[in-house]
Amino acid sequence: MLRLTNTLTGKKEEFIPIKEGTVSMYHCGPTVHNYAHIGNLRAYIFADVLRRTLEFLGLDVHQVINVTDIGHLVSETDEGEDKMTRALSREGKPLTLAAMRELADFYFEAFKNDLIALNIKLPEHFPFASDHIAEEVALVQKLIEKNRTYQTNDGIYFDTAKMKEYGKLGGPTADNSEHSRIPPNPQKKHPRDFALWKFSAQGGELGYDAPFGKGFPGWHIECSAMSMKYLGETFDIHTGGIDHIPVHHNNEIAQSEAATGKPLARYWLHSAFLTVESGKMAKSEENFVRLQSLIDRGIHPLAYRFFILQAHYHSPLIWSWEAVEAAQSGFESLVLRVADLQTEVKNVSHQALPTDPDFFLEAITDDLNTPRAIALLSSFLEEKLPPNAKLATLYHLDEILGLRLKELAEKVRTIPSEILAVKRERDTLRQGKKFQEADALREEISSQYLVRDLESGTAITRRLDPSL
Ligand code: AMP
Ligand code: ZN
């Protein structure tokens, strides 16, 4: 049984899929106006652990991560400049739909590469908002026909006053204009009303044709249209970062439910922020750190994944170089432990029966408690059990953690022949009690190799660096 905290009810609930044996999940995806920062990536590591857990439990997962390549304005509340337009000016590109798509494709590829480096399984669908204009227009049209909208001089707005239950997910929704530094449109009937469609600027060429006027879909309607297209009018799980609760997700719920009369998703899950001392990490701030910045400093991407998994997804996590470096050395120790077990077993049999994984599953199925699961796994590795069984269990459970422990341990054990020759030379020196010279040889290769003198003999492994 899997229990998840549902923001909709504020409770930890047992997860029961709509259709037995399958799960449909939608994760709000990146706005591709820039590289993803490592905070954004936390949201997708969380989604991946959720997917892996569901798969481990035998469910068939259908997953969508959308790509917001148009229509996301600087403020959550539909005011201010369009993020993509601003990015075009930043990069000195022409203000055209084609240039916008080129920019989107570039940052989407970078995003996808980050996911791959983090061993995040790619979803079944990665829909781009600009490829779903027809669905977005149809949804707006439906809301117009149902008399749930009104028009101002800059767009078509959703009339929240006509919604009895607006703001189901909670959050400070009553007057969300206070979250914005940009004054709200005075033509809006209520500050919390939101744009379904924004008209192109007077005489402006940039935009998509629609029966109600040329322009761009609102960010919220994109997610409703794309999630319903791929997963149906009601699907199982919808996730995003906690910043999406008050505005984006409340709005998705309001417009979707107004259009279909059905709940959009049954479980709404939100991951907490990665913060820096000065507050939230954001693409618009100067403080943003990319996965590549970690790699450039010698941090393995999976050490970053390990860092994230050491905190519960509900807990804010403070990022610092020191904390990530500590995670890198903790992760390296874990990989080394696995490498030692592999050496002990020599010929690891994949048929070796894993021990009962319940100790781990109890933690994971309790609202994805990864920090506890990792701590239990570390203790398990120290238990008096045959190394073969330990490895088989670990490999099995790593299907959920996604840390590629087997592969990384094998890689750190693979030593080129010239380094093995250095090791042999050192062994000879030690046998001749020439310890100073032996130490000097170790020093020579120490930036890339770790030499440990164990009871069983000298062990040599590669250090964990991002090239592995
Ligand atoms: P964006 O590309 O800004 O639309 O955001 C992509 C995802 O990253 C969303 O799920 C956000 O909620 C999430 N997110 C944004 N900033 C952070 C942060 N500092 N820490 C964790 N998640 C974040
Ligand atoms: Zn969304």
Side-chain angles (χ1 to χ4, degrees):
M1 185 172 92
L2 172 62
R3 288 160 61 79
L4 297 168
T5 299
N6 190 353
T7 311
L8 204 51
T9 57
K11 293 195 187 107
K12 230 190 256 183
E13 294 173 8
E14 181 183 351
F15 173 68
I16 302 168
I18 298 167
K19 190 163 158 248
E20 212 188 318
T22 72
V23 186
S24 41
M25 288 209 283
Y26 185 89
H27 313 289
C28 282
T31 307
V32 283
H33 61 115
N34 206 333
Y35 293 107
H37 59 63
I38 55 173
N40 299 131
L41 295 172
R42 184 183 189 188
Y44 306 104
I45 294 174
F46 154 66
D48 185 56
V49 171
L50 175 61
R51 167 185 175 162
R52 287 168 173 272
T53 302
L54 292 162
E55 287 179 341
F56 192 94
L57 297 173
L59 293 144
D60 184 16
V61 180
H62 299 281
Q63 203 184 16
V64 178
I65 298 180
N66 74 288
V67 180
T68 305
D69 63 335
I70 48 168
H72 194 167
L73 303 191
V74 170
S75 145
E76 299 276 295
T77 54
D78 316 308
E79 314 298 336
E81 215 182 339
D82 171 71
K83 290 189 181 188
M84 294 298 287
T85 311
R86 202 166 59 166
L88 285 176
S89 331
R90 183 191 69 217
E91 301 200 359
K93 304 246 163 73
L95 221 57
T96 62
L97 290 180
M100 209 178 252
R101 179 58 185 240
E102 213 174 281
L103 191 88
D105 283 337
F106 175 83
Y107 288 117
F108 169 65
E109 277 308 310
F111 172 73
K112 209 165 71 176
N113 288 335
D114 284 350
L115 299 191
I116 292 167
L118 289 165
N119 200 24
I120 292 172
K121 292 189 182 185
L122 300 185
E124 196 176 344
H125 301 286
F126 265 133
F128 278 55
S130 67
D131 289 334
H132 294 78
I133 300 294
E135 289 83 352
E136 288 142 14
V137 167
L139 193 53
V140 177
Q141 194 65 45
K142 195 164 177 183
L143 289 166
I144 293 173
E145 281 157 19
K146 290 198 166 203
N147 195 26
R148 308 302 291 262
T149 67
Y150 61 89
Q151 186 168 336
T152 70
N153 59 7
D154 77 346
I156 311 280
Y157 281 80
F158 185 85
D159 193 347
T160 55
K162 291 191 176 147
M163 188 99 203
K164 252 193 274 151
E165 283 190 297
Y166 178 79
K168 275 189 188 170
L169 289 178
T173 57
D175 180 354
N176 56 30
S177 63
E178 71 194 26
H179 299 294
S180 168
R181 275 166 283 163
I182 299 149
N185 177 350
Q187 290 190 335
K188 268 163 75 163
K189 290 192 195 164
H190 193 286
R192 71 185 191 183
D193 293 349
F194 55 92
L196 299 167
W197 190 264
K198 273 267 174 129
F199 298 135
S200 303
Q202 278 291 304
E205 280 303 304
L206 205 62
Y208 297 89
D209 289 326
F212 30 82
K214 190 170 186 167
F216 283 95
W219 170 40
H220 321 302
I221 204 82
E222 297 172 357
C223 278
S224 289
M226 291 187 280
S227 60
M228 290 198 273
K229 169 166 179 174
Y230 292 97
L231 303 172
E233 288 181 346
T234 302
F235 51 93
D236 290 304
I237 302 175
H238 195 312
T239 79
I242 41 160
D243 55 328
H244 286 168
I245 300 173
V247 181
H248 183 51
H249 286 173
N250 272 326
N251 292 352
E252 273 190 52
I253 291 178
Q255 67 200 2
S256 308
E257 299 190 358
T260 67
K262 296 175 192 161
L264 179 62
R266 305 221 306 192
Y267 300 84
W268 289 80
L269 270 46
H270 293 96
S271 50
F273 270 145
L274 181 76
T275 57
V276 278
E277 262 169 28
S278 55
K280 173 189 157 187
M281 183 177 284
K283 285 181 197 167
S284 50
E285 310 290 331
E286 282 309 307
N287 67 23
F288 100 73
V289 177
R290 291 169 49 196
L291 191 62
Q292 189 58 45
S293 333
L294 301 192
I295 294 169
D296 292 345
R297 292 266 289 245
I299 306 288
H300 196 286
L302 293 175
Y304 179 65
R305 183 176 174 112
F306 184 69
F307 170 69
I308 293 297
L309 298 186
Q310 280 178 309
H312 190 272
Y313 77 88
H314 268 170
S315 313
L317 180 58
I318 300 178
W319 176 86
S320 67
W321 283 111
E322 293 73 28
V324 172
E325 274 153 13
Q328 163 91 358
S329 73
F331 184 54
E332 188 168 16
S333 305
L334 179 60
V335 172
L336 218 54
R337 183 77 191 92
V338 180
D340 288 347
L341 283 168
Q342 286 179 347
T343 310
E344 227 179 300
V345 171
K346 296 261 181 7
N347 193 7
V348 181
S349 155
H350 294 280
Q351 275 70 48
L353 276 187
T355 56
D356 183 357
D358 275 3
F359 71 93
F360 182 93
L361 289 184
E362 242 169 66
I364 280 291
T365 56
D366 178 18
D367 203 16
L368 307 180
N369 194 339
T370 50
R372 189 167 147 71
I374 289 174
L376 291 170
L377 191 61
S378 301
S379 317
F380 166 80
L381 292 183
E382 302 315 319
E383 278 178 26
K384 283 204 168 59
L385 285 166
N388 211 342
K390 281 189 195 175
L391 281 183
T393 309
L394 180 91
Y395 296 163
H396 189 44
L397 295 177
D398 195 28
E399 286 295 312
I400 293 179
L401 296 176
L403 293 169
R404 283 178 34 214
L405 290 169
K406 175 175 183 286
E407 188 189 329
L408 284 178
E410 280 162 0
K411 284 189 172 168
V412 299
R413 289 171 63 232
T414 309
I415 310 295
S417 55
E418 66 274 17
I419 300 295
L420 282 176
V422 175
K423 175 186 174 285
R424 275 194 299 275
E425 198 185 329
R426 182 176 175 272
D427 285 346
T428 314
L429 287 170
R430 279 171 58 84
Q431 274 154 19
K433 306 225 176 299
K434 296 182 177 162
F435 294 115
Q436 259 188 354
E437 285 165 59
D439 282 352
L441 264 192
R442 171 160 69 183
E443 205 41 45
E444 243 176 62
I445 56 168
S446 69
S447 64
Q448 269 191 297
Y449 297 91
L450 182 68
V451 179
R452 290 171 298 151
D453 296 313
L454 308 172
E455 268 176 37
S456 53
T458 303
I460 178 160
T461 44
R462 259 192 80 162
R463 290 190 187 273
L464 187 76
D465 68 59
S467 70
L468 292 184

